[in-house]
Amino acid sequence: MAATDLDILASEGMRSLCLGGHVGFDSLPDQLVSKSVSQGFCFNILCVGETGIGKSTLMNTLFNTTFENEEASHYMDGVLLRPRTYDLQESSVDLKLTIVDTVGFGDQINKEESYKPIVDYIDTQFENYLQEELKIRRSLFNYHDTRIHVCLYFIAPTGHSLKSLDLVTMKKLDSKVNIIPIIAKADTISKSELHKFKIKVMSELVSNGVQIYQFPAEDEAIAEINSSMNAHLPFAVVGSSEEVKVGNKMVRARQYPWGVVQVENESHCDFVRLREMLIRVNMEDLREQTHARHYELYRRCKLEEMGFKDTDPDNEPFSLQETYEAKRKEFLGDLQHKEEGMRQMFVNRVKVTEAELKEKERELHDRFELLKRTHQEEKRSVEEKRRDLEEDMNSFNRRKVAAETLQGQAFQGSAQLSIKKDKDKKNFFTLPSACSLTAGRNLH
């Protein structure tokens, strides 16, 4: 310890002790390295760009492997985020890599809400981690962290300016994820156009207030290289999964009729710079920035929405227990108020229902009385018709009896007349015989 440091400590009343020999806490970095290597690492990359701009090819080139890939269609109704996780190993270091592709981004006619599925996905991963933190029994040791550590935003090599979709999307994402803008397929424009395009892109990002990820320059070991690399943003990259023979060796390149574009040649593109900054130098800083900056911002806003605060209205420290109790009282008060309101509403509804039932009962009673009077009138009418019918039946029966009597008398008279006629006829036939007999007697 320097003399000035000792003087400062002495002035502050702090004792300085010198070690009498080697203790061994200088092995802490080695212990951390050993523990970290045994646990493994995770790294999550979000690739945002239009379909066919070369996202999958660049990922294969970055990690020198061939990932699963499905050719995306240009006719998607909306933006679909497709995460895929791979287990990689390099020199006994395990890496759980998750690549999230934005399928269908920028393919719709109306691109107004193309960024929303991306923002929702990032917030969902933050929410999942927050819910795991808030559990009573947490398992963060073996929890698969799916929070996005870096967003590689692919810019089309137009050579003119950024699209409105690019500016809006990056503006919505800059507070939620580390954004590294890259110019895809940089071999399609000339060097002079590429240089002007880089300046134009950075100028538009600054003028529109888009905060992209800046490589940290605080650490003296990497301050120089990071400062120089910040001047190369956005990186102009070329990806290729094909190997072409250049000289006496095979290199990753793209073969054209006019020549060969080597992916790992810094004079051809910025692929090597991107790989150095993204994976070899600043991967841990990207992970730390995600947790300490973006996730903490989401966590703070979420807890404030839930009513948790660090200080009371008088700027006095406010413990979590006090916050919980205050929130619980507030919740119970709101609950009681809602219960009273619901009870009063229930009473009012009961009164209204009772009034409606009484009104319906009165209407039913009136209808009953009306029906009763109608029934009585109809009953009297039926009784009168029945009496009239009985009188008609009696009159008919009397006329029937009279008719039958007359018919009987007429039949009896006709019978007597017939008998009399028969007697007269008989007498008529018997009279000549007697006369002849008498005449005969007289002749003798």
Side-chain angles (χ1 to χ4, degrees):
M1 186 177 292
T4 55
D5 295 335
L6 293 175
D7 294 339
I8 293 174
L9 293 175
S11 63
E12 293 180 354
M14 299 176 61
R15 295 186 302 164
S16 61
L17 299 178
C18 297
L19 298 178
H22 182 264
V23 177
F25 58 79
D26 58 351
S27 65
L28 272 173
D30 298 332
Q31 295 176 29
L32 290 175
V33 170
S34 177
K35 184 177 181 181
S36 299
V37 170
S38 64
Q39 291 179 357
F41 301 90
C42 70
F43 193 61
N44 306 318
I45 302 176
L46 172 64
C47 299
V48 181
E50 299 176 358
T51 304
I53 203 169
K55 301 186 292 293
S56 301
T57 303
L58 183 63
M59 290 298 102
N60 294 338
T61 310
L62 268 176
F63 294 94
N64 197 20
T65 186
T66 301
F67 299 113
E68 299 176 6
N69 182 32
E70 294 179 5
E71 186 174 350
S73 171
H74 287 274
Y75 304 101
M76 300 286 292
D77 294 333
V79 180
L80 174 66
L81 276 81
R82 184 171 58 195
R84 289 181 175 174
T85 303
Y86 309 94
D87 292 323
L88 306 180
Q89 186 175 18
E90 185 179 41
S91 301
S92 72
V93 176
D94 295 327
L95 176 67
K96 187 181 289 293
L97 175 67
T98 300
I99 299 176
V100 184
D101 189 12
T102 54
V103 182
F105 179 78
D107 291 340
Q108 294 76 33
I109 297 177
N110 184 5
K111 304 178 179 63
E112 183 178 359
E113 297 183 354
S114 296
Y115 65 89
K116 285 189 176 180
I118 305 174
V119 173
D120 292 341
Y121 180 84
I122 296 174
D123 287 342
T124 301
Q125 311 318 308
F126 284 154
E127 182 65 25
N128 293 339
Y129 193 87
L130 178 61
Q131 293 299 325
E132 185 66 27
E133 273 192 337
L134 295 177
K135 287 182 179 179
I136 297 176
R137 295 184 178 180
R138 300 184 299 178
S139 58
L140 295 176
F141 175 77
N142 56 0
Y143 175 76
H144 180 205
D145 188 3
T146 57
R147 295 174 297 176
I148 300 299
H149 298 123
V150 64
C151 170
L152 297 181
Y153 196 94
F154 289 72
I155 301 172
T158 60
H160 297 286
S161 61
L162 288 174
K163 300 178 181 179
S164 299
L165 176 63
D166 299 331
L167 289 172
V168 172
T169 304
M170 282 192 278
K171 184 63 177 177
K172 295 293 182 179
L173 296 179
D174 63 356
S175 63
K176 297 180 179 295
V177 68
N178 303 311
I179 301 176
I180 298 180
I182 59 178
I183 301 174
K185 297 184 178 181
D187 53 339
T188 59
I189 55 178
S190 64
K191 278 194 172 182
S192 59
E193 290 176 340
L194 182 60
H195 179 68
K196 293 178 182 178
F197 188 44
K198 282 188 174 185
I199 297 175
K200 183 70 173 177
V201 169
M202 292 304 297
S203 174
E204 290 185 349
L205 292 177
V206 172
S207 61
N208 287 277
V210 179
Q211 301 292 328
I212 64 173
Y213 175 75
Q214 295 289 326
F215 301 112
E218 291 81 11
D219 190 352
E220 296 179 358
I222 58 175
E224 183 177 356
I225 185 173
N226 279 347
S227 299
S228 63
M229 288 304 168
N230 283 328
H232 285 85
L233 290 172
F235 293 126
V237 298
V238 176
S240 176
S241 57
E242 299 178 358
E243 291 189 348
V244 179
K245 187 174 183 180
V246 177
N248 296 326
K249 62 179 182 178
M250 302 295 292
V251 296
R252 288 182 178 267
R254 300 184 70 87
Q255 181 77 49
Y256 292 99
W258 45 263
V260 177
V261 177
Q262 300 180 30
V263 173
E264 297 183 346
N265 190 334
E266 294 187 17
S267 62
H268 290 181
C269 67
D270 296 331
F271 172 79
V272 174
R273 296 185 180 95
L274 174 64
R275 185 177 60 188
E276 289 285 333
M277 294 297 98
L278 181 65
I279 301 175
R280 296 182 181 177
V281 179
N282 298 298
M283 178 182 282
E284 182 57 30
D285 184 72
L286 289 167
R287 287 159 41 91
E288 183 181 350
Q289 285 292 323
T290 299
H291 181 80
R293 179 186 170 193
H294 301 295
Y295 170 69
E296 284 300 320
L297 177 61
Y298 176 85
R299 176 179 174 274
R300 185 184 67 194
C301 295
K302 198 69 176 179
L303 292 179
E304 287 178 353
E305 289 179 2
M306 296 170 62
F308 293 99
K309 299 178 181 179
D310 293 331
T311 57
D312 59 11
D314 298 330
N315 291 326
E316 295 294 331
F318 212 52
S319 67
L320 184 63
Q321 181 67 25
E322 293 175 349
T323 305
Y324 170 76
E325 291 295 336
K327 194 66 180 177
R328 184 172 180 272
K329 290 180 180 178
E330 181 182 355
F331 174 76
L332 291 177
D334 292 341
L335 182 62
Q336 186 177 2
H337 180 70
K338 289 181 180 180
E339 286 181 353
E340 291 294 334
M342 292 181 66
R343 187 180 293 107
Q344 187 63 33
M345 182 177 62
F346 176 76
V347 171
N348 294 335
R349 286 188 177 182
V350 168
K351 290 180 179 180
V352 172
T353 305
E354 287 180 350
E356 292 177 354
L357 290 175
K358 288 181 179 179
E359 181 66 21
K360 290 183 179 297
E361 183 181 3
R362 187 182 61 79
E363 292 177 358
L364 288 174
H365 182 73
D366 294 341
R367 288 180 60 188
F368 174 74
E369 292 295 331
L370 178 62
L371 291 174
K372 186 177 179 181
R373 290 193 298 270
T374 305
H375 173 71
Q376 291 176 354
E377 293 176 357
E378 290 180 352
K379 184 178 180 181
R380 287 194 298 270
S381 176
V382 169
E383 289 292 333
E384 291 177 358
K385 290 181 179 180
R386 186 178 64 81
R387 288 194 296 270
D388 294 341
L389 183 60
E390 287 179 352
E391 292 178 358
D392 292 341
M393 288 177 63
N394 294 332
S395 176
F396 174 76
N397 289 332
R398 289 193 297 270
R399 289 196 299 269
K400 181 179 179 183
V401 171
E404 289 177 351
T405 304
L406 292 175
Q407 187 177 4
Q409 292 177 356
F411 179 76
Q412 186 177 3
S414 62
Q416 291 177 357
L417 182 60
S418 176
I419 294 172
K420 183 178 181 181
K421 286 181 179 181
D422 290 341
K423 287 181 178 181
D424 292 342
K425 190 181 292 184
K426 184 176 179 181
N427 293 331
F428 176 77
F429 284 110
T430 56
L431 183 59
S433 299
C435 291
S436 60
L437 181 61
T438 306
R441 286 179 179 175
N442 293 329
L443 289 177
H444 288 294

